Amino acid sequence: MIDDEKCIGAYSRYVKHVVYVSSLRNPGEAIEAVVAAGKKYGLQGWVLFPTRDEIVADFSKHRADLAKFFRVPTPVWESVKYAWDKRNMHALLKQLNIPEPRSCNPLSVEELDTLDFDPPYVLKPSIKEHFFYKTKDKAWVANDKQELRRLFELATSIAAPGEILVQEMIPGYGSQQFSYCALFKNGQAVASMVAQRRRQHPAVFGRASTFVVTVENPLVESYGESFLRAIDYYGLAEVEFKLDPRNQEYKLHDVNLRTWGYHSIGAPAGVDFPYLLYRDQIGEQVDPCRATVGVKWMRAVTDFPASILDVAHGRVGLFEYLRSFSGRITEAVLDFHDPAPTIAELGLLPYLIYKRGF
């Protein structure tokens, strides 16, 4: 495992070596760290699993060099660029006729006067990493044009010119978010799953899921497959949608071309995504499979405080919250065969709050 932060995964009994580096955020740094670790520990032929968007981008741009030593499931930049930069993503969505939030990419404050949709407005970066690490926020909300101008000027002082998108605000919270998850290869899903994000933190622009359940949703599945097919994608992906209650459209708003926070729901649902990708990378057969519906996943350390706020603000009813615990639930971290990461998570909470705004 290679990281530039303290990570609970480092305490797992299955992790034999941990390499800490000063940073993995700048272009090329992840490549240097991976190549150095590969040579030091003799990892020729090992499969690389990037877990952050900036590392996915780095791997895709240096894929040819990495592939001389490792197995690299990350595809080429021509595919990855549609997830890395939301300007590319939204241009493609228009071509594919996949619903998306109404949005624009203003280059100046003056252009804000030409918006053809009403507040509240959402300001978000087209390249998340250029904004998130400085603000710990995925997006900001402006309730009127005056606030929009103020926040736009602040946002453009943080991100590069032209990188800020202004979008319509889709009403609702985590329960209206759905994701199409897949191991995708040769234009089709080898393993697939649709998940509903029942709870998240923060409530509006969730940085992470806290409670998830697998569901059936053919429309979300169809949109997700169309997008991944259009970019000729190979590997693991999570395509995120939000159900707009005003017109009942599932609007695509984000794509993760890597393992995602709740990917461990896949194993109990019958689609163990990282393992299936590993098998495919080493040349073993992977039979097509779909997730079982009704499997639940929870990250207790964030779900409990998020749920308290949801109940207190009337976003979730108390009895609805209690009913969500029926049936089998997979906990994100807790494993009695490997308890150290759970203990480490509790001990590292102050650090995680400081680093990531948990």
Side-chain angles (χ1 to χ4, degrees):
M1 193 180 102
I2 303 172
D3 209 338
D4 58 4
E5 297 180 350
K6 295 183 186 298
C7 178
I8 61 175
Y11 298 89
S12 171
R13 62 187 291 191
Y14 302 107
V15 174
K16 302 304 181 187
H17 298 286
V18 180
V19 177
Y20 286 109
V21 296
S22 59
S23 177
L24 294 172
R25 295 178 184 177
N26 298 321
E29 289 181 332
I31 305 302
E32 293 176 7
V34 168
V35 170
K39 292 178 179 178
K40 179 177 181 179
Y41 295 106
L43 308 181
Q44 188 160 7
W46 281 44
V47 182
L48 299 179
F49 284 87
T51 57
R52 294 191 212 159
D53 292 334
E54 66 268 30
I55 299 176
V56 171
D58 224 5
F59 280 10
S60 71
K61 293 175 181 178
H62 298 87
R63 190 180 190 282
D65 292 332
L66 288 173
K68 296 174 183 177
F69 196 87
F70 300 99
R71 302 178 194 269
V72 188
T74 304
V76 296
W77 177 247
E78 195 58 33
S79 294
V80 169
K81 71 179 185 180
Y82 290 99
W84 173 252
D85 191 329
K86 289 182 174 59
R87 291 169 294 189
N88 297 330
M89 183 188 80
H90 285 292
L92 180 59
L93 293 177
K94 288 179 173 61
Q95 295 177 29
L96 299 175
N97 291 318
I98 294 176
E100 57 179 326
R102 297 176 69 184
S103 64
C104 68
N105 181 210
L107 301 179
S108 67
V109 173
E110 290 71 29
E111 289 186 36
L112 298 175
D113 293 329
T114 65
L115 291 176
D116 60 353
F117 49 92
D118 297 325
Y121 304 106
V122 176
L123 294 92
K124 64 191 301 185
S126 59
I127 300 175
K128 183 184 73 174
E129 283 65 26
H130 294 175
F131 185 84
F132 177 76
Y133 287 123
K134 296 178 181 178
T135 67
K136 298 181 182 178
D137 292 324
K138 291 180 69 174
W140 292 340
V141 176
N143 293 301
D144 53 44
K145 281 286 183 70
Q146 183 177 355
E147 187 176 20
L148 176 63
R149 292 187 185 93
R150 179 179 63 82
L151 290 177
F152 180 79
E153 290 180 339
L154 179 58
T156 52
S157 71
I158 296 171
E163 282 192 6
I164 297 300
L165 302 177
V166 178
Q167 295 184 337
E168 66 173 337
M169 177 79 172
I170 300 176
Y173 302 101
S175 61
Q176 289 165 221
Q177 293 198 191
F178 295 78
S179 292
Y180 172 68
C181 310
L183 167 55
F184 213 74
K185 181 180 181 180
N186 296 331
Q188 60 185 358
V190 178
S192 62
M193 174 181 78
V194 177
Q196 182 180 8
R197 182 185 284 197
R198 294 283 176 85
R199 296 191 289 271
Q200 63 182 7
H201 76 94
V204 179
F205 299 119
R207 283 189 293 271
S209 304
T210 67
F211 191 91
V212 174
V213 61
T214 57
V215 297
E216 282 282 359
N217 194 313
L219 189 55
V220 164
E221 186 171 357
S222 174
Y223 288 150
E225 288 187 349
S226 294
F227 183 86
L228 296 177
R229 191 176 296 119
I231 66 174
D232 192 24
Y233 184 67
Y234 167 80
L236 301 183
E238 181 207 24
V239 186
E240 298 184 359
F241 300 81
K242 188 170 184 179
L243 175 62
D244 191 332
R246 299 168 297 185
N247 57 14
Q248 298 302 303
E249 283 189 331
Y250 292 92
K251 296 183 175 179
L252 196 159
H253 66 88
D254 202 6
V255 180
N256 295 311
L257 302 183
R258 51 170 171 75
T259 53
W260 51 97
Y262 62 90
H263 73 267
S264 55
I265 195 177
V271 283
D272 191 344
F273 289 108
Y275 176 61
L276 294 173
L277 178 62
Y278 170 78
R279 285 179 61 91
D280 190 65
Q281 281 288 297
I282 64 174
E284 294 187 6
Q285 181 174 330
V286 179
D287 296 323
C289 51
R290 296 173 62 86
T292 303
V293 172
V295 178
K296 299 175 181 179
W297 175 98
M298 177 178 67
R299 188 173 186 189
V301 73
T302 50
D303 188 59
F304 289 153
S307 299
I308 290 172
L309 292 174
D310 283 345
V311 172
H313 289 88
R315 293 188 288 262
V316 177
L318 177 59
F319 290 107
E320 178 188 354
Y321 168 69
L322 295 175
R323 281 196 301 269
S324 68
F325 288 92
S326 64
R328 179 186 174 188
I329 299 176
T330 296
E331 215 287 324
V333 180
L334 179 61
D335 185 339
F336 292 110
H337 296 289
D338 190 23
T342 301
I343 299 169
E345 182 177 49
L346 296 174
L348 287 173
L349 271 180
Y351 170 83
L352 295 173
I353 292 170
Y354 169 74
K355 292 290 289 188
R356 306 177 188 175
F358 260 45

